[in-house]
Amino acid sequence: MKNMLFLGALSFLAPVFLTSCSDDDTMDNDLGNESSSTEFCENLSGWTVTPRNSSSIPLNLTTKELEVVGANTQLSTKLLAKVRTSTENTMVAPYSLQLALAMINNGTSPDVQKEVNDFIGLQGMDMQEINNTYSKISASLNSELDTAACFETQNSMWIQKDEKIRLDFYNVIKDSYKASVADLDFTKPEASQTIDDWANMATRGLIPSLNLKLNNNTKVVIANACYFKAKWTKNFKDSLLGTFTQADGTIANVSFFHNGGTYSYAETDSYQALRLPYGNQTFCMDVILPTKNLSTENLMPSIDWNNINFTPEKVRVNMPKFTAKNRFDLRQTLIDMGLNSLFEKYLVRMGNDLILSELQQDTYVKVDQDGTEAAGITIGIHDTVIISPDPNGHKIFNADHPFLFAIREAKTGLILFMGEVVKAEL
């Protein structure tokens, strides 16, 4: 796979723990339970991982559906700003979070649905519109949009044996989100391993274990996994050594991959921006490099990712190899960001006395010029690279200090993954 970049970027948004409440719990239960005549689902099948559609389904969104993309951008920047750390690389998976929240939100009461949709940025859209839009986007992304790139998303739900889940909620999860739904006995030690097996398959072995904290009160687990793999459209030259100024000011010898050519490029008083296309240019990575007098933390709130004034320029590119591996407790993060009711009220449209108790996201990304197979990563490093002014008038994009990146569907700008790199590596 010489001179090709493969990006393995994975998110696992799980477990969405839905637990029952005891009589002593002081949760807001003024919503009560729906009529006992409500239908419940039965005869659940076993869990599966669905293969990607081998045909191409173009992603053509209406003006209304594009509101989901705008909301995705807002959520991406707010979430990254909240969970980032100045000492480690960070990556979040906003599309994965959107899907999981949407699935859960179908089980809540109308007042909670409105709060969640407003929080995401989907004011004015009802759940049917939201479900249909996510279904449309996921069907397209899961198809053969690009023969040189692959994005896959999987949804799954496990239900405690003998726990009743409302049929209308079950049908939405199955039909709109194509989730596999299966029984699982959470009281058994092997329950965590069952979900780990699904995660391992859905992420091609890159997230094999989630360290789930299941217990006797766990009734439902809802999960989303996203996987992305692609080569750069323009091949990069072999990795060479250079220096990277890390967020703490220390200088590290790291591995860079580099090339030159025509790229979409933008420059302001605050930053340089570069769009690096993947494969047949269905997907791309937008990189924002602050000027050296600005930090990524200070720059982050002012960036409008959907309105970067890219123009074609000849650019010499020098990018460091980097990885990020994160696990986030998103329950507390979202509460701190103002989303409270989702964790305080019963999921009355999902089942009996269920409450959302935990939300976790795992992410992993590795970027270099050579790439990775799903099971492992191999890197070669040789010589030293020094970037100097270009006599032919090329712009210089030398990512030798902390920067931001977003991996996107290029046509709509939908952000699949967003991150901050504060240190690089050999």
Side-chain angles (χ1 to χ4, degrees):
M1 303 288 242
K2 189 71 169 176
N3 292 333
M4 298 171 71
L5 176 130
F6 283 86
L7 172 68
L10 307 122
S11 74
F12 193 89
L13 188 54
V16 175
F17 285 127
L18 306 171
T19 63
S20 61
C21 296
S22 68
D23 293 338
D24 295 330
D25 289 330
T26 58
M27 305 304 299
D28 179 357
N29 66 350
D30 59 348
L31 297 172
N33 291 326
E34 292 186 357
S35 169
S36 59
S37 63
T38 302
E39 289 186 281
F40 294 92
C41 63
E42 298 178 354
N43 302 320
L44 301 181
S45 58
W47 65 267
T48 60
V49 172
T50 306
R52 189 163 62 120
N53 192 331
S54 59
S55 60
S56 176
I57 303 175
L59 184 54
N60 298 317
L61 300 181
T62 66
T63 301
K64 186 71 172 177
E65 290 166 342
L66 281 171
E67 292 180 14
V68 169
V69 177
N72 160 273
T73 305
Q74 295 175 37
L75 181 63
S76 302
T77 53
K78 289 193 296 184
L79 182 61
L80 180 61
K82 187 66 179 177
V83 302
R84 65 172 296 278
T85 168
S86 61
T87 59
E88 298 293 336
N89 296 340
T90 306
M91 189 180 78
V92 295
Y95 184 63
S96 177
L97 178 57
Q98 279 185 302
L99 286 175
L101 288 178
M103 285 191 287
I104 299 165
N105 211 21
N106 277 279
T108 64
S109 59
D111 60 323
V112 178
Q113 286 180 353
K114 183 180 184 306
E115 180 180 327
V116 174
N117 292 337
D118 288 351
F119 173 84
I120 296 173
L122 297 177
Q123 299 91 337
M125 294 183 73
D126 61 34
M127 286 311 302
Q128 184 173 347
E129 290 175 313
I130 292 170
N131 294 336
N132 291 342
T133 302
Y134 283 131
S135 179
K136 184 176 181 179
I137 293 173
S138 292
S140 178
L141 293 177
N142 277 338
S143 73
E144 189 76 24
L145 282 177
D146 192 327
T147 56
C150 169
F151 178 82
E152 295 177 348
T153 184
Q154 303 278 343
N155 296 312
S156 194
M157 179 167 68
W158 287 270
I159 303 170
Q160 173 63 35
K161 287 186 175 181
D162 300 324
E163 182 70 21
K164 292 186 178 296
I165 293 295
R166 299 188 186 282
L167 184 60
D168 51 358
F169 174 80
Y170 167 83
N171 287 336
V172 168
I173 298 304
K174 286 286 290 183
D175 297 340
S176 294
Y177 295 90
K178 309 302 179 188
S180 66
V181 185
D183 283 323
L184 188 60
D185 189 349
F186 295 116
T187 65
K188 299 292 181 64
E190 55 267 27
S192 291
Q193 185 59 53
T194 297
I195 300 176
D196 281 349
D197 289 345
W198 180 86
N200 186 55
M201 290 183 64
T203 62
R204 309 292 183 91
L206 293 180
I207 300 181
S209 177
L210 298 164
N211 296 320
L212 303 186
K213 300 174 183 178
L214 306 175
N215 57 58
N216 290 344
N217 287 327
T218 303
K219 300 302 179 185
V220 180
V221 171
I222 294 176
N224 168 268
C226 294
Y227 171 79
F228 178 73
K229 172 179 165 182
K231 65 179 182 180
W232 298 121
T233 302
K234 299 178 188 292
N235 291 341
F236 281 87
K237 296 179 182 179
D238 290 344
S239 292
L240 299 174
L241 286 179
T243 59
F244 186 90
T245 303
Q246 302 185 127
D248 61 3
T250 59
I251 307 296
N253 290 322
V254 304
S255 180
F256 286 84
F257 51 96
H258 58 102
N259 69 10
T262 300
Y263 285 95
S264 294
Y265 174 84
E267 186 174 335
T268 72
D269 292 339
S270 302
Y271 64 81
Q272 292 175 282
L274 186 70
R275 172 160 290 182
L276 299 174
Y278 294 109
N280 297 323
Q281 305 190 47
T282 301
F283 301 96
C284 64
M285 176 190 283
D286 287 351
V287 185
I288 294 185
L289 181 68
T291 55
K292 292 197 175 181
N293 63 326
L294 278 179
S295 68
T296 49
E297 182 180 12
N298 291 333
L299 180 63
M300 199 179 304
S302 65
I303 298 171
D304 185 348
W305 289 87
N306 288 336
N307 288 290
I308 301 173
N309 189 27
F310 284 118
T311 58
E313 296 277 1
K314 291 183 177 180
V315 186
R316 290 180 64 191
V317 181
N318 191 42
M319 284 287 296
K321 185 181 80 170
F322 67 88
T323 62
K325 184 177 182 179
N326 306 112
R327 173 169 291 159
F328 307 112
D329 172 11
L330 291 186
R331 179 186 187 275
Q332 190 57 51
T333 296
L334 296 183
I335 290 175
D336 292 344
M337 292 169 68
L339 186 60
N340 299 306
S341 294
L342 185 63
F343 302 96
E344 294 176 346
K345 295 188 176 182
Y346 288 120
L347 299 165
V348 295
R349 295 184 174 182
M350 186 182 297
N352 293 324
D353 298 332
L354 295 177
I355 196 78
L356 178 59
S357 62
E358 192 167 337
L359 197 64
Q360 174 181 312
Q361 185 172 95
D362 289 50
T363 62
Y364 174 86
V365 63
K366 188 170 184 76
V367 177
D368 60 27
Q369 98 292 349
D370 254 355
T372 180
E373 297 295 338
I377 299 167
T378 302
I379 303 298
I381 304 169
H382 308 282
D383 299 329
T384 301
V385 61
I386 299 175
I387 297 293
S388 57
D390 187 270
N392 297 317
H394 284 57
K395 300 288 187 179
I396 304 298
F397 191 91
N398 184 25
D400 65 350
H401 57 280
F403 57 89
L404 305 169
F405 70 92
I407 300 166
R408 321 179 75 168
E409 193 279 327
K411 182 178 179 180
T412 63
L414 180 74
I415 295 175
L416 306 172
F417 306 95
M418 179 180 280
E420 176 187 23
V421 176
V422 299
K423 62 181 183 181
E425 59 190 43
L426 289 173

